[in-house]
Amino acid sequence: MKKLTTLIFASLLLVTGLFAQKAPVVGVVDVARVLADFTEFQSALEKVRGSVAPVEEEMQRMQTSIQAIVTEGREIENKANNPAASEEARAEAAAALPELQARLQEAQANLNQFRQQAQALAQQGQEEDLAPLQAKAVEAVKTVAEDKGIDLVVPKNNLIYSSDALEISDAVIAVLNSGE
């Protein structure tokens, strides 16, 4: 009988504890819109893009140069394999191919070097300029959530549906752009 009483009492405590808990309050934030409307983040993003732009322009010039070398190589290869051309013309074209292949390999190596440089610049900009501002945006989300008594904030892009009443993006943007 004592075991039964203890079991019933423990069950009542468990059930009472379950009913006593409040339902969590959920908020939704549109991360892309927050970052797009966060003026300091956009300024930093433009700075990062500006530092990478000259390297990307040079890479574009290099790609154009590589394409010209490839086109020239096809023309020379066609001359080297043209049965209507004289033996001397075919031999001259065949002799030019190794030098052209070396130029192509060098140009491709330079392009890869510039590509790595662009990636390093973008990574450096991400780490130095953008990451601290992304952390600031997360802190703004926490501030708004605490002010509104929100227990859980979910990114909007991970949801199938949410009520507009749960949306806190405008409040987060206001906090970020106010300089707090």
Side-chain angles (χ1 to χ4, degrees), residues 133-153:
L133 295 174
Q134 289 169 331
K136 187 175 179 179
V138 169
E139 287 303 314
V141 169
K142 288 178 185 177
T143 299
V144 169
E146 289 170 359
D147 289 349
K148 294 182 180 261
I150 296 173
D151 300 311
L152 173 69
V153 178

Side-chain angles (χ1 to χ4, degrees), residues 7-74:
L7 182 61
I8 291 173
F9 183 68
S11 297
L12 282 174
L13 283 177
L14 179 65
V15 170
T16 305
L18 289 175
F19 285 116
Q21 293 179 0
K22 75 172 185 112
V25 179
V26 178
V28 175
V29 67
D30 185 342
V31 176
R33 189 166 69 91
V34 166
L35 294 177
D37 291 348
F38 180 16
T39 54
E40 191 177 356
F41 183 83
Q42 288 305 310
S43 297
L45 187 59
E46 287 303 315
K47 177 184 170 192
V48 170
R49 287 179 180 157
S51 69
V52 174
V55 176
E56 289 177 340
E57 290 170 6
E58 181 62 25
M59 283 177 19
Q60 186 62 39
R61 284 191 289 274
M62 294 174 99
Q63 287 174 331
T64 302
S65 174
I66 287 172
Q67 188 58 44
I69 293 170
V70 168
T71 301
E72 184 181 350
R74 286 184 184 139

